[in-house]
Amino acid sequence: RQTVRERIGALAQLLTRPACVLAYSIQVAAAMPLMALSTIMAVFLTNNLGLSAKGLSMIYLVGGGTNFFVARVIGRLADKYGSAPISLATTGLVSVAILMGYVGLNPGIPLLLIFPVFFIANSARTILIQTVAMRIPRPRERAAFQSLGQSMQGLSMGVSSIATSYL
């Protein structure tokens, strides 16, 4: 059984190991823009694009429902083809969804198709980042590593939400 001092020392080792710092940085870099866009999504869709409350509910329902099923497929694709190509593909998808949904480069594709792609691609990116990141810690460090990573993601998402409100 570890003492509090030993636990803090173990966490400090994770926070100073270069591979862990890189993994945490990637997790934060992926979480912040997602949170910034997600925070303003409902307001943007209703106020800027004129989507009704019913349409907004449908986008979230379709996006979340589709994501529930696609997340399992993403894991299998990563196992079969590797995380890097699937990550590149999902980053491309989220970029296209942002360009079409937020920037306005939309050739007439319904929002009900664009924003579920945004949800799915972001979820896939998170799955892939976690898959790669969990290879870094030693087996006995995995819980602490994951805990620190989730704490950093939560903190960065909070900062992102606050910063977005000022935009």
Side-chain angles (χ1 to χ4, degrees):
R1 184 168 166 115
Q2 287 184 320
T3 66
V4 172
R5 184 175 296 238
E6 290 170 332
R7 288 181 187 171
I8 291 172
L11 293 176
Q13 286 179 356
L14 289 173
L15 287 171
T16 57
R17 191 178 313 150
C20 293
V21 171
L22 178 61
Y24 294 141
S25 299
I26 291 169
Q27 290 172 333
V28 166
M32 286 187 84
L34 166 63
M35 195 61 197
L37 290 173
S38 298
T39 301
I40 62 168
M41 184 181 291
V43 173
F44 179 81
L45 290 173
T46 55
N47 293 347
N48 292 44
L49 300 183
L51 195 66
S52 68
K54 184 177 180 180
L56 184 64
S57 297
M58 189 57 68
I59 282 179
Y60 279 101
L61 178 67
V62 171
T66 308
N67 195 25
F68 179 77
F69 295 103
V70 173
R72 295 175 52 130
V73 175
I74 294 299
R76 287 191 206 115
L77 289 172
D79 289 341
K80 186 173 181 177
Y81 299 107
S83 295
I86 305 305
S87 182
L88 285 172
T90 56
T91 298
L93 280 174
V94 79
S95 298
V96 167
I98 290 168
L99 289 171
M100 294 173 107
Y102 284 101
V103 178
L105 300 177
N106 186 343
I109 297 173
L111 294 176
L112 191 56
L113 295 177
I114 294 170
F115 281 94
V117 169
F118 175 79
F119 288 125
I120 291 165
N122 270 308
S123 177
R125 290 175 63 233
T126 302
I127 290 166
L128 295 165
I129 288 168
Q130 288 303 106
T131 301
V132 173
M134 289 312 295
R135 295 178 187 156
I136 293 171
R138 294 177 207 114
R140 70 178 191 279
E141 298 173 324
R142 285 193 183 129
F145 177 85
Q146 186 70 6
S147 179
L148 277 173
Q150 291 298 315
S151 296
M152 287 182 202
Q153 283 180 352
L155 180 62
S156 67
M157 290 167 76
V159 168
S160 180
S161 295
I162 292 168
T164 302
S165 70
Y166 287 101
L167 296 176

